[in-house]
Amino acid sequence: GIQVEQSPPDLILQEGANSTLRCNFSDSVNNLQWFHQNPWGQLINLFYIPSGTKQNGRLSATTVATERYSLLYISSSQTTDSGVYFCAVCQTGANNLFFGTGTRLTVIP
Amino acid sequence: ETGVTQTPRHLVMGMTNKKSLKCEQHLGHNAMYWYKQSAKKPLELMFVYSLEERVENNSVPSRFSPECPNSSHLFLHLHTLQPEDSALYLCASSQLAGRGEQFFGPGTRLTVL
């Protein structure tokens, strides 16, 4: 199956700092999503971004499908941004999402 | 109710019990999924249903039995589970299997004693 690698695995930020999370994948995809998992386990949809760039408030994402990577940018981080960020892809021809191992973000005041 | 709902949110069961997890989607989608999230392992697919037909069974043990009576409801029947089956079980839906954005329910946190 497709390999999905996320980096860094852990990230600690001071409140107000900016960060970039990276997702590399090993094959062509027709779907890529970024999620934030809160402490209760709920996966919150951040972006559905198989290609291109999108922005939503302090968050933005870019996927370069031809080079098989996606980036999630968090600006002016807040303590409520803490949690685990997952990248998930659907390999072309597959029926489901394959998840990376996540980036655990901790934002300290 | 909106989005994807799951019940119960927490479940503790013995190894000889039989229980069921329920998922309902209110998005008009045609595909539904069960995923499992264990400690120290990435989220992994268990089952995919498209238009109430199972299209994917990811080598899941037979003690997990899915049921999809219609495109809005998905069940996971559990029996004779092992302690290592303790995990967060997440349900999701999308417009079509493997197509479009997937939306997840809040999950059922299962503990097997």
Side-chain angles (χ1 to χ4, degrees):
Chain A
I2 192 168
Q3 304 300 311
V4 183
E5 295 179 355
Q6 291 186 242
S7 59
D10 294 280
L11 184 59
I12 300 174
L13 295 177
Q14 200 78 40
E15 199 169 24
N18 304 328
S19 62
T20 301
L21 281 57
R22 187 176 180 100
C23 173
N24 293 331
F25 43 96
S26 62
D27 205 347
S28 61
V29 300
N30 58 27
N31 179 7
L32 188 145
Q33 291 183 241
W34 283 98
F35 297 93
H36 177 211
Q37 189 167 41
N38 68 20
W40 298 272
Q42 171 88 57
L43 282 171
I44 299 164
N45 289 40
L46 298 178
F47 293 101
Y48 169 65
I49 187 165
S51 64
T53 297
K54 291 185 177 180
Q55 179 152 10
N56 184 3
R58 295 182 296 104
L59 302 182
S60 63
T62 295
T63 297
V64 184
T66 52
E67 297 187 22
R68 299 182 182 168
Y69 74 88
S70 183
L71 302 173
L72 177 69
Y73 306 96
I74 304 174
S75 65
S76 304
S77 58
Q78 301 175 357
T79 56
T80 52
D81 295 332
S82 296
V84 183
Y85 289 79
F86 287 103
C87 168
V89 303
C90 184
Q91 189 174 9
T92 302
N95 288 318
N96 60 282
L97 290 174
F98 289 87
F99 281 77
T101 51
T103 292
R104 182 174 298 276
L105 174 65
T106 303
V107 181
I108 54 178
Chain B
E1 293 279 14
T2 59
V4 182
T5 58
Q6 290 186 243
T7 55
R9 296 293 308 275
H10 300 271
L11 178 63
V12 180
M13 60 187 289
M15 289 191 286
T16 58
N17 292 158
K18 290 185 182 181
K19 297 286 184 183
S20 296
L21 310 185
K22 178 183 176 182
C23 175
E24 184 172 1
Q25 59 96 2
H26 309 267
L27 300 168
H29 289 164
N30 293 306
M32 296 186 76
Y33 311 77
W34 280 116
Y35 288 87
K36 175 184 178 182
Q37 187 177 29
S38 305
K40 304 188 195 307
K41 290 180 74 174
L43 264 137
E44 53 185 345
L45 176 76
M46 300 178 73
F47 301 103
V48 181
Y49 275 82
S50 176
L51 296 170
E52 301 140 49
E53 296 286 328
R54 192 191 309 179
V55 296
E56 195 87 33
N57 176 353
N58 199 25
S59 302
V60 179
S62 59
R63 57 186 183 268
F64 295 91
S65 175
E67 178 190 1
C68 187
N70 55 61
S71 58
S72 298
H73 293 87
L74 185 65
F75 294 89
L76 188 63
H77 303 299
L78 315 171
H79 67 96
T80 325
L81 294 192
Q82 305 298 312
E84 58 264 30
D85 296 322
S86 298
L88 180 67
Y89 290 85
L90 291 158
C91 173
S93 72
S94 66
Q95 191 58 248
L96 296 170
R99 299 280 180 182
E101 190 172 3
Q102 281 191 29
F103 294 87
F104 282 77
T108 295
R109 193 164 294 280
L110 173 68
T111 303
V112 182
L113 302 176

